[in-house]
Structure formats: structure tokens, C-alpha cells
Amino acid sequence: ANMQRTRLVAYVALGEVQPTRSYAKHIPTDWILGENKIWGSLVIDQSRAEWPSFFAERVVAPLWDAGYRTVFLDTLDSYQLVAKTPEARARQEAGMVSVVKGLAARFPGIKLMFNRGFEILPAPHALVEMVAVESLFQGFDAGKRNYIEVAPTDRDWLLGQIQQIRTTYGLPVVSIEYVPSA
């Protein structure tokens, strides 16, 4: 393998926390908006003023100190499970943008990969290196625990998002597909 093209990427969930994470016990209970029952995780209120610094110091700083320079931000749409009005969604989206801008300020040179995050991408797009999308062709239904072929209407919608990311922001897009090991 060409080591110049190899990079370790740290995975972090921004929108949710698994209760087993070491920092989970330090998250105040009133920062929890609900849960993602399928994954057994808790949805975090992104609009809390203290959240960006908590996320930077408790979640990302240990990874930065360990040498990671690229962070894959996942669960960027989890707020949609609980924020049902346009106002509530706007507050969550603004909070996530604050987190992303805070990471760029706190960790000079950090490279950020978004997993989707289409709703918040316009504001911090200059700070994002690339965008990943899951399940363009093949997906995994976590509730039913089986692999599925993505419906053409869902694929077409996602292709539209990908095209917009590439043309509007000039960012590369990576597709992550889920298939049985066989």
C-alpha cells in the first residue's frame, strides 16, 4: 500500500452518544432530547451553548492528542428524530454548525468528513474536506437486521444531493455501501 495515500480517520458521533462511551456520563441529562432505539443511543441537544466546547474537549481532543488529524462526523441527522418543527430543527442545525466551526478553531488543520449532513453543509462547507453518503445502492435495515437494495426514488434523491455537493461546493463524495459478507 502507498502510505502517502493511507490515512487513519477517527469516527465520532456528533448527534448521538452511546451510553458506553467514556464521556457519556459527563453529559447532563437535560442535554438529552430522546433516543435512537434502533442503535440504543441517546440524541443530544445540539443547541446547548456548552455543547461545542464539551464536544471539542471531551470527544475530539483525546483523538487529536492520539495523533488523528481527520475526523469522520456521523449522526448529523439524528436531531430529526426529535426536532419536529422548522424552528426546532433550525436550532439543532445552528448548534451543529457551531460545533463544526469550534472544531476548526480549536484544532488548526483538522480535516472533517461529514456523513451526509446536507442540511448544515452550506454554512461550514469551507471547513469540510469530503462528504460520505451511505446506501446509494445497497443498505442495511438495522430494525430488521437485513440488507436491502435502495429504492430508485431514494437513490435519485441522494444522487441529487451528491450532484449539488460536487457542483456547489466542489467537494468529493464517498459512497459507503452495505452488502452481506458473502
Side-chain angles (χ1 to χ4, degrees):
N2 179 348
M3 295 308 287
Q4 266 61 42
R5 297 182 51 87
T6 302
R7 186 186 333 170
L8 289 175
V9 177
Y11 170 96
V12 294
L14 173 55
E16 303 177 6
V17 63
Q18 285 286 339
T20 54
R21 294 285 178 187
S22 60
Y23 55 86
K25 64 181 176 286
H26 301 289
I27 297 174
T29 52
D30 61 348
W31 292 12
I32 304 301
L33 290 179
E35 65 178 309
N36 184 337
K37 290 182 170 56
I38 290 174
W39 296 108
S41 50
L42 304 172
V43 179
I44 298 169
D45 185 352
Q46 301 294 312
S47 71
R48 295 290 176 154
E50 309 89 347
W51 175 239
S53 61
F54 180 99
F55 189 79
E57 297 308 321
R58 296 274 188 160
V59 182
V60 178
L63 298 165
W64 185 265
D65 293 343
Y68 290 94
R69 294 298 177 260
T70 303
V71 174
F72 179 90
L73 294 174
D74 198 13
T75 62
L76 297 179
D77 54 2
S78 298
Y79 69 96
Q80 294 175 12
L81 294 170
V82 290
K84 298 302 185 185
T85 66
E87 297 79 15
R89 288 184 173 195
R91 280 195 305 275
Q92 295 303 306
E93 291 162 5
M96 271 193 285
V97 169
S98 294
V99 170
V100 171
K101 289 181 175 177
L103 292 177
R106 167 71 174 77
F107 307 103
I110 193 171
K111 295 188 182 319
L112 300 174
M113 292 176 64
F114 272 22
N115 185 7
R116 296 196 176 210
F118 308 133
E119 298 79 9
I120 66 165
L121 188 60
H125 69 87
L127 306 174
V128 178
E129 183 183 30
M130 70 178 68
V131 176
V133 298
E134 292 178 284
S135 308
L136 179 58
F137 299 100
Q138 294 284 141
F140 183 72
D141 183 331
K144 295 179 178 165
R145 312 291 302 167
N146 67 338
Y147 296 93
I148 54 169
E149 187 169 337
V150 175
T153 51
D154 294 341
R155 180 178 308 127
D156 289 345
W157 178 84
L158 193 51
L159 283 169
Q161 298 291 324
I162 292 169
Q163 190 60 37
Q164 184 174 356
I165 291 166
R166 293 176 67 196
T167 56
T168 306
Y169 308 117
L171 293 173
V173 178
V174 175
S175 177
I176 301 169
E177 303 298 323
Y178 296 92
V179 297
S181 57

